DNA sequence: GTATTTACATACATTCATGATTGTATAAAC
DNA sequence: GTTTATACAATCATGAATGTATGTAAATAC
C-alpha cells in the first residue's frame, strides 16, 4: 500500500464523489452499493469508508458540491431599472446553468428522480431554505417591478412570485426528465418569455 | 390452510395493495420488503407472490388503481361559454381530488417522492400519455377561450397551456411535499385564481 | 364423490450489502 | 531517525431480501 499525501487523498475523495454521482444517476441512490461506487472510482470500499461514514454522508457531500449554485446563485439586482427583465434573465440563467454545468444538472436529476425521500431525507421533500430565499427574492423583485409600473395590477407581487416559483419548479423538473421529444428543453426559453409576458403591463 | 373463495381472494389482493401503498409511503419503494407488506396485510410473502410476480408488478397494480383519476379525469366542456373559468375550475378540482381521495394523494406522493426512476421506471420520468392529453386539452380550452375574447393576446393559447401545465406540476409537487408551514396547501386556491387572472383580458 | 385446482403458508438456498476488524506501507510529526 | 498517524486494502461476520420449491386444505369442476 502506497500511502498518499494529503493532496492525493483529497483527489481520491473527489473521485469517489464523482463516481457516486455517476452511479447514483444510473442506478438510483437506494440501489447503489458502496462497492459499485468504489469500483467506479478505482478504489475499494475501504477508501470510501475512510472518507465517508456511510452512503448518506457521501450523498450529502455530493449534494453540497452542486446544489448551491442553482437557485441560490440567482441574483436580482436591486438597482436594476428593469426588474421584470431581471426576473426573466434570472430564469433563463437557471436553465443555462443546467445546460452548462453537468454536475449540477446530474445532481438535480438525482435529487428529483433518483432518490427516495424517507427517514433522514424526509424533511428534504419540502422547500429548502435556499428555495424559500429564492421565493422571497422573487417577491421583492416583483414588488420593485410593480413600483416601476411594469406589472399589470391583476395580482399582487407576492402572488406573481408564487406563480413564477411553481412554474420554475415544474419547468426544471420537466427539463430534467429528458422527455424523448425534448419539447421542454427546446421550448424552455420561449416558455419563460411567455411566462413573463403574461404579467407585463 | 383454509382455502378462500374467489371473492375472498380478491379481498386479500386488495388488502395487499393497500398495505403496499401504506408501506411504500412510509419506507419508500426501494426499502420496502415484501415481508413488510405481507405483515401489514396480515398475510405471508407466499400470498404476495401468489397475486403478484414481484414488487414492481405490485407497484404498478397500486399505481393503476389511483393514478388515472387525477389529470386524466379532468374534463373540459367544449360547449362551455366560459372556457377560461372552466380551466380554473378544472385546476381547483385537481387540488380537491388530492384532498378528497387519500389513496390518490398517497399514490402521487409515492410516485413523486418515494421511488427512484431507474431501470423499468426510467421511462416514467417523463410525461405519461395522460399528462400529454391533459396538456392538449389545456391547449384546446385556451384556444376556445381566445376565440371568445377572454384572453390577452400577449401569448398563444399553446404557450399559455404550457405555462399552466408547468404551474400545475409545480403546485401538485409542493402541495404534496407537506411543507411544515402548509403555505402551499392553504394558498393553493388563491394561486390558481391568480394564475388564471394573469391571462384574462 | 372423486379429481383437480386454487390460495395461500412454510421452509430453503442464494445472493448481495453492510459495518467492523485487521493489516500495512508510507507520509508526516517530533 | 524514530514514532505515530494516515490512507487506504483485504478479510470476515452478519443480516436482510429475494425467488423458488414444497406442503396443504379447502373450493370448485366433473
Amino acid at each position: 500500500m502506497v500511502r498518499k499525501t494529503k493532496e492525493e487523498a483529497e483527489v481520491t475523495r473527489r473521485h469517489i464523489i464523482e463516481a457516486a454521482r455517476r452511479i447514483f444517476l444510473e442506478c438510483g441512490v437506494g440501489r447503489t452499493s458502496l462497492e459499485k461506487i468504489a469500483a467506479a472510482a478505482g478504489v475499494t470500499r475501504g477508501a470510501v469508508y475512510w472518507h465517508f461514514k456511510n452512503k448518506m454522508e457521501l450523498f450529502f457531500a455530493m449534494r453540497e458540491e452542486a446544489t448551491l449554485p442553482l437557485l441560490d446563485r440567482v441574483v436580482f439586482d436591486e438597482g436594476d431599472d428593469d426588474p421584470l427583465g431581471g426576473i426573466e434573465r434570472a430564469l433563463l440563467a437557471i436553465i443555462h446553468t443546467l445546460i452548462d454545468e453537468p454536475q449540477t444538472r446530474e445532481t438535480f436529476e438525482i435529487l428529483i428522480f433518483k432518490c427516495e425521500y424517507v427517514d433522514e431525507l424526509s424533511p428534504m421533500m419540502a422547500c429548502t431554505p435556499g428555495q424559500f430565499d429564492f421565493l422571497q427574492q422573487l417577491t421583492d423583485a416583483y414588488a420593485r417591478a410593480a413600483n416601476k409600473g411594469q406589472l399589470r395590477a391583476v395580482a399582487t407581487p407576492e402572488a406573481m412570485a408564487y406563480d413564477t416559483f411553481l412554474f420554475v419548479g415544474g419547468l426544471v423538473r420537466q427539463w430534467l426528465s429528458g422527455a424523448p421529444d425534448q419539447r421542454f428543453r427546446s421550448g424552455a426559453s420561449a416558455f419563460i418569455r411567455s411566462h413573463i409576458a403574461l404579467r407585463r403591463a
Side-chain angles (χ1 to χ4, degrees), chain A residues 13-163:
Chain A
R13 186 190 134 95
R14 293 216 169 171
H15 282 342
I16 292 170
I17 289 181
E18 286 168 23
R21 194 183 331 105
R22 287 206 311 277
I23 310 295
F24 283 160
L25 187 63
E26 184 190 339
C27 307
V29 176
R31 296 195 198 183
T32 293
S33 66
L34 295 184
E35 171 64 34
K36 272 191 213 166
I37 293 175
V43 296
T44 67
R45 271 172 53 242
V48 178
Y49 274 106
W50 172 255
H51 286 283
F52 307 95
K53 189 185 162 201
N54 52 32
K55 190 161 72 176
M56 273 306 110
E57 194 169 301
L58 173 53
F59 174 81
F60 286 122
M62 175 208 70
R63 182 171 170 268
E64 281 184 9
E65 279 212 343
T67 191
L68 298 175
L70 190 65
L71 299 186
D72 310 51
R73 202 171 54 184
V74 173
V75 191
F76 297 99
D77 180 11
E78 287 188 29
D80 198 339
D81 47 322
D82 179 15
L84 187 57
I87 294 173
E88 181 175 311
R89 286 190 297 276
L91 303 190
L92 292 170
I94 289 174
I95 298 301
H96 274 96
T97 299
L98 293 180
I99 295 172
D100 295 337
E101 296 181 17
Q103 83 234 28
T104 299
R105 173 178 66 245
E106 290 170 8
T107 302
F108 269 82
E109 192 173 337
I110 292 168
L111 289 173
I112 295 182
F113 293 113
K114 313 292 188 178
C115 69
E116 301 180 352
Y117 289 89
V118 161
D119 296 342
E120 334 88 275
L121 288 185
S122 192
M124 285 175 51
M125 280 168 55
C127 289
T128 63
Q131 291 182 356
F132 278 131
D133 187 58
F134 173 65
L135 178 57
Q136 184 59 49
Q137 288 200 52
L138 270 177
T139 306
D140 297 343
Y142 274 123
R144 290 195 296 274
N147 283 337
K148 298 222 173 211
Q150 292 189 296
L151 300 182
R152 298 180 68 211
V154 293
T156 65
E158 192 188 2
M160 290 192 186
Y162 272 101
D163 191 68

